[in-house]
Amino acid sequence: MTDLHRLSIRELSEGLAGAKFSSRELTEHYLKRIAKLDTQVKSYVTVTAEQALAQADAADAAIKAGTATALTGVPIAHKDIFCTQGIKTTAGSKMLDNFISPYDATVVAKGKAAGLVTLGKVNMDEFAMGSTSENSFYGATANPWNLGHVPGGSSGGSAAAVAADLAPFATGTDTGGSIRQPASFCGLTGLKPSYGRVSRFGMIAYASSLDQGGPMARSAEDCAYLMNVMAGHDAKDSTSVEKDVDDYVANLNGTAIQGLRIGIPKQYFNVAGLDADVKARVEESLKKLEEMGATLVEIDLNMTEAYVPTYYLIAPAEASSNLSRYDGVRYGYRAENPVDLMDLYKRSRSEGFGAEVQRRILIGTYALSAGYYDAYYVKAQKVRRLIQQDFLKTFESVDVIAAPAAPTTAYKIGANLSPVEMYLGDIYTIAVNLAGLPAINAPVGFDKDNLPVGLQLIGNYWSESQLLSVVHQYQQATDWHTKRAAIAEENA
Ligand code: GLN
């Protein structure tokens, strides 16, 4: 079969179970595509061909023995932020260029237990800080829709790999939009779960009160399959919630849109940098949802102006604390020939971290320093609470909130936006993390340059099944999620 990469996760699952093809054939097919096409996309940092084929053979044996799960033998790419035992985990940083974790992240371990086959580790902005994946020590990844553009970030490698059909689905993480924005830039469906739904154990920390892993795939149904693997309580993560998980696949239904009250925040659609094509496509998708039975309700989210300053205090503050462990002593990059301990610390950190990471460490350390702590960090925490309350009040009168995932489509590689311009691009995604809410991106069309546009739907706590169902029903009635970039159409 030459078109195995066209199959949905459900079709892969059924095809494997029905012995239409083996996991080895499927895995070899994807490895061949990666070898041929990833020289252009550059989505993988590490390809684990040998392990993948061994896992595929074990999966085929499990299928024959009748011990398979729905996903046994299905390949996956992991964001290079999830620790993988025996396989390099870099977080896109020179600091971890030689780091081999002694254990698997819970998400990776659960994937293995479900029989998933790891194709490799995919590129990302260094320590998940960024919106283009250009902040990676390993260089930029290309957007499959136009190789001169970025795939978004920080989970840009995950998005590009799936959009170029170099993996059927991928894990991502979202601290301030890093699942939703690259999904939007690459025409994919991506779900950022409620804080605490997916274990953070073994997921390299950026800002621990905001970080959350989630699925990136071509459709809501594909995401639901991966959520069934990723979600759940984990004793190894004290912030993971002890709450039953849904069966996200079984819960998908065709009636989620009827009677759904969708809040349209006035403030979101008046943002200065909102691109006209993005606005138009999002509005068209909302019209479609209305035709399908939803009610559109204009709402106010009065804290919108506070999102960027609040996030860009809290996230760097937590980052400065989390990244203090990279000192050149315990593990990670170590500078050569230090003259004394101070020199070792200083040079290991200035040589091992890239510019954006250093900028965030400086901002965060400043915000946490004695004398500024109350004025910046404590104040930001108070505003964070107000932002959360603003959402919760809104959910008394609407079921979900609609927004673009990003004000623009994918930037050109090397556009070299100033840090502040870049941060302003996160306006639609970061408040969701500050509040700990779930949100999903769905592809809803293209701009004049044929770059994908995404609609974001924000839900109340633990409404992942509802968000997936709404997008699933939308995707049954539309075909944006079935569109493929030209490079994905190429055969290996
Ligand atoms: N772009 C945002 C940042 O740079 C979000 C990143 C993320 O979600 N990891 O912090």
Side-chain angles (χ1 to χ4, degrees):
M1 266 202 203
T2 54
D3 58 352
L4 287 173
H5 58 280
R6 311 286 314 199
L7 303 182
S8 70
I9 301 298
R10 177 183 293 281
E11 289 165 336
L12 290 177
S13 174
E14 290 170 359
L16 287 163
K20 279 206 200 130
F21 46 84
S22 66
S23 176
R24 177 168 264 268
E25 274 173 78
L26 178 62
T27 303
E28 281 176 347
H29 180 80
Y30 269 105
L31 290 171
K32 235 164 93 188
R33 288 186 64 78
I34 294 167
K36 180 173 174 210
L37 301 170
D38 206 39
T39 48
Q40 297 170 68
V41 182
K42 303 187 189 88
S43 57
Y44 282 82
V45 174
T46 307
V47 178
T48 51
E50 217 174 290
Q51 284 103 325
L53 291 171
Q55 285 177 334
D57 289 341
D60 286 329
I63 293 166
K64 277 213 185 82
T67 56
T69 78
L71 290 178
T72 299
V74 176
I76 190 168
H78 285 302
K79 184 175 181 178
D80 209 12
I81 200 167
F82 289 100
C83 286
T84 41
Q85 189 175 18
I87 300 169
K88 210 165 76 148
T89 300
T90 69
S93 183
K94 179 178 179 184
M95 191 55 97
L96 292 176
D97 184 42
N98 63 2
F99 177 59
I100 295 188
S101 166
Y103 57 84
D104 280 328
T106 295
V107 161
V108 172
K110 287 178 129 193
K112 278 187 185 169
L116 288 172
V117 171
T118 304
L119 293 169
K121 308 290 293 289
V122 281
N123 202 18
M124 54 181 284
D125 284 302
E126 184 177 8
F127 286 102
M129 299 175 195
S131 306
T132 65
S133 298
E134 291 170 294
N135 293 341
S136 170
F137 175 61
Y138 302 95
T141 293
N143 187 316
W145 289 93
N146 182 330
L147 299 175
H149 288 245
V150 303
S154 65
S155 312
S158 309
V162 177
D165 281 350
L166 303 179
F169 53 16
T171 51
T173 64
D174 192 313
T175 302
S178 282
I179 288 175
R180 292 161 284 156
Q181 183 257 27
S184 173
F185 280 13
C186 291
L188 301 177
T189 307
L191 174 71
K192 183 256 169 214
S194 310
Y195 185 77
R197 183 71 292 181
V198 170
S199 170
R200 292 186 297 108
F201 179 77
M203 196 176 102
I204 293 174
Y206 161 15
S208 306
S209 78
L210 306 165
D211 297 343
Q212 189 62 198
M216 302 175 73
R218 298 190 194 103
S219 68
E221 186 184 70
D222 289 1
C223 282
Y225 273 99
L226 189 48
M227 262 307 272
N228 274 0
V229 175
M230 295 179 82
H233 176 248
D234 179 12
K236 294 181 188 148
D237 170 6
S238 62
T239 62
S240 105
V241 68
E242 277 191 66
K243 186 176 165 52
D244 288 344
V245 281
D246 295 342
D247 181 335
Y248 298 96
V249 176
N251 274 5
L252 290 175
N253 66 67
T255 57
I257 296 174
Q258 279 83 0
L260 186 77
R261 296 166 303 170
I262 304 179
I264 318 282
K266 263 189 264 172
Q267 290 80 355
Y268 285 23
F269 288 82
N270 290 327
V271 164
L274 177 55
D275 177 87
D277 284 355
V278 172
K279 187 169 188 226
R281 290 305 92 74
V282 167
E283 284 174 351
E284 286 157 20
S285 71
L286 291 170
K287 195 145 198 300
K288 177 76 189 168
L289 287 165
E290 194 177 30
E291 279 166 29
M292 293 176 72
T295 315
L296 306 184
V297 189
E298 194 175 77
I299 57 166
D300 274 301
L301 283 174
N302 290 311
M303 297 299 296
T304 305
E305 272 184 16
Y307 294 173
V308 173
T310 307
Y311 173 86
Y312 276 99
L313 272 166
I314 291 174
E318 293 187 18
S320 73
S321 162
N322 275 326
L323 271 56
S324 66
R325 72 188 71 174
Y326 304 103
D327 57 7
V329 176
R330 284 172 281 192
Y331 55 91
Y333 176 80
R334 174 179 300 182
E336 309 230 353
N337 308 319
V339 295
D340 57 21
L341 185 63
M342 222 14 136
D343 186 48
L344 172 70
Y345 285 157
K346 271 196 198 159
R347 284 203 293 114
S348 295
R349 288 169 68 78
S350 23
E351 291 165 19
F353 288 135
E356 183 61 26
V357 172
Q358 294 191 29
R359 181 177 298 119
R360 306 246 180 141
I361 292 173
L362 291 173
I363 295 171
T365 306
Y366 183 81
L368 289 175
S369 58
Y372 295 108
Y373 182 83
D374 289 334
Y376 293 117
Y377 184 71
V378 173
K379 188 161 181 198
Q381 291 290 16
K382 291 180 178 166
V383 179
R384 177 181 189 171
R385 177 56 62 91
L386 294 176
I387 291 169
Q388 181 199 33
Q389 285 170 348
D390 206 21
F391 278 113
L392 292 186
K393 199 173 90 243
T394 305
F395 283 124
E396 288 169 12
S397 54
V398 300
D399 302 304
V400 297
I401 295 168
T408 65
T409 53
Y411 317 108
K412 283 208 169 84
I413 291 178
N416 217 1
L417 268 56
S418 74
V420 172
E421 283 173 316
M422 194 61 93
Y423 300 166
L424 287 170
D426 295 333
I427 179 88
Y428 295 122
T429 46
I430 49 189
V432 165
N433 302 73
L434 290 168
L437 295 165
I440 196 165
N441 176 76
V444 293
F446 298 87
D447 72 358
K448 55 185 179 323
D449 301 319
N450 201 38
L451 288 165
V453 172
L455 163 73
Q456 178 183 202
L457 294 173
I458 305 165
N460 208 337
Y461 297 108
W462 323 117
S463 65
E464 288 81 4
S465 272
Q466 181 185 32
L467 293 175
L468 289 165
S469 287
V470 170
V471 172
H472 178 62
Q473 194 187 339
Y474 173 82
Q475 290 178 339
Q476 311 271 255
T478 56
D479 62 359
W480 299 117
H481 66 292
T482 66
K483 307 277 186 212
R484 289 293 203 281
I487 194 164
E489 304 282 4
E490 281 183 43
N491 283 322

